[in-house]
């Protein structure tokens, strides 16, 4: 079935489409202290909640990019309802194809939960760093191994041990590129349970309302499989963090 349709169905109850709580996102937004006119780019913006909240709090000019037609249309609708005068643009396109008018021009560049776009965590940091202005924020959300994954789990989720790093390795990847790690937000087991549980809930609600949809069986089958993988292995094995880096402005490195 269409992957965007599946993701739309399973994330209808979510405010943010990743395992971080709304409260922790609010904490992050408060810390970013963006100046009026700040230029913000969010790759894989999802339903746009992060960039919309940033625009509600600060007078930013922002671009949110996502490949899902469902999410981009949700983001545009939400933005129009909540902050019609905001200087936000949403583009439905592959994040990897986005090329800024000028390199090193954004005051914040984020990619939360979609590092595959650039081929992994390190490559994402590299790509974002090239678009970020000196002294600006580079914000990424990435899974990490809490413990060594067993082979059965890797096979079940279709990932390799090398797909993700440890929390320390994720942090060090930025440092190795000259990005200073200034903050991390880490999902608690509660945050994870909410993120996963809302997918089971949303899928069941949707299937109850659309029993004749040709994809109903497939949606429930995939969600049951994901639920089993999470409860059996994922809950103890995989973590999630948002890493907040600052790009060198040439002053602090001296
Ligand atoms: C885990 S979700 C995170 C969404 C959002 N950052 C959030 O945290 O709410 C991953 C997002 O990546 C988007 N995506 C997947 N592949 C993409 C691509 N090649 N270019 C842009 N967006 C992509 C999906 O549509 C989805 O919205």
């Amino acid at each position: 079935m269409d992957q965007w349709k599946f993701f739309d169905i399973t994330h209808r109850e979510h405010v943010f489409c990743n395992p971080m709580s709304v409260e922790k996102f609010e904490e992050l937004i408060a810390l970013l202290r963006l100046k009026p006119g700040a230029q913000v780019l969010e790759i894989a913006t999802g339903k746009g909640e992060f960039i919309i909240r940033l625009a509600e709090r600060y007078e930013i000019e922002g671009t949110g990019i996502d490949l899902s037609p469902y999410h981009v249309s949700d983001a545009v609708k939400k933005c129009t309802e909540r902050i019609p005068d905001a200087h936000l643009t949403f583009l439905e396109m592959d994040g990897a194809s986005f090329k800024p008018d000028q390199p090193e021009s954004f005051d914040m560049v984020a990619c939360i939960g979609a590092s595959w776009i650039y081929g992994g965590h390190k490559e994402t940091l590299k790509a974002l760093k090239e678009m970020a202005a000196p002294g600006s924020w580079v914000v990424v959300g990435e899974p990490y191994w809490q413990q060594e994954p067993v082979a059965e789990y890797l096979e079940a989720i279709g990932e390799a041990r090398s797909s993700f790093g440890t929390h320390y390795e994720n942090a060090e990847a930025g440092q190795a590129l000259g990005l200073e790690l200034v903050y991390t937000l880490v999902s608690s087991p509660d945050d994870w349970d909410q993120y996963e549980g809302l997918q089971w809930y949303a899928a069941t609600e949707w299937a109850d309302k659309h029993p004749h949809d040709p994809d109903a069986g497939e949606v429930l089958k995939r969600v049951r499989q994901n639920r089993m993988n999470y409860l059996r292995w994922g809950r103890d094995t995989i973590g999630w963090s948002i890493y907040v880096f600052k790009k060198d402005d040439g002053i602090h490195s001296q």
Side-chain angles (χ1 to χ4, degrees), residues 70-125:
Y70 296 92
H71 283 354
V72 172
S73 115
D74 279 354
V76 169
K77 183 167 177 282
K78 234 193 298 188
C79 184
T80 311
E81 285 167 5
R82 279 164 49 181
I83 34 168
D85 297 333
H87 299 286
L88 290 186
T89 307
F90 292 97
L91 303 175
E92 183 189 320
M93 64 180 285
D94 184 351
S97 304
F98 176 80
K99 301 280 172 273
D101 293 340
Q102 290 182 341
E104 300 194 285
S105 55
F106 289 97
D107 300 295
M108 191 194 109
V109 189
C111 179
I112 296 175
S115 64
W116 59 83
I117 291 175
Y118 297 104
H121 177 61
K122 280 184 204 153
E123 293 74 11
T124 299
L125 288 170

Side-chain angles (χ1 to χ4, degrees), residues 3-4 7 11 15-18 25 42-50 65-68 71 93-96 111-114 116-117 195 240:
Q3 61 163 329
W4 307 127
F7 205 73
H11 287 74
V15 177
F16 292 99
C17 300
N18 73 75
F25 259 100
E42 190 185 17
I43 302 291
T45 192
K47 297 192 262 184
E49 190 65 31
F50 182 39
I65 288 171
D66 203 279
L67 199 44
S68 162
H71 283 354
M93 64 180 285
D94 184 351
C111 179
I112 296 175
W116 59 83
I117 291 175
Y195 177 66
W240 168 260

Side-chain angles (χ1 to χ4, degrees), residues 39-69:
Q39 302 291 314
V40 171
L41 173 67
E42 190 185 17
I43 302 291
T45 192
K47 297 192 262 184
E49 190 65 31
F50 182 39
I51 201 165
I52 289 172
R53 284 186 188 231
L54 284 170
E56 284 172 332
R57 179 145 186 159
Y58 305 110
E59 290 170 45
I60 61 160
E61 292 181 20
T63 303
I65 288 171
D66 203 279
L67 199 44
S68 162

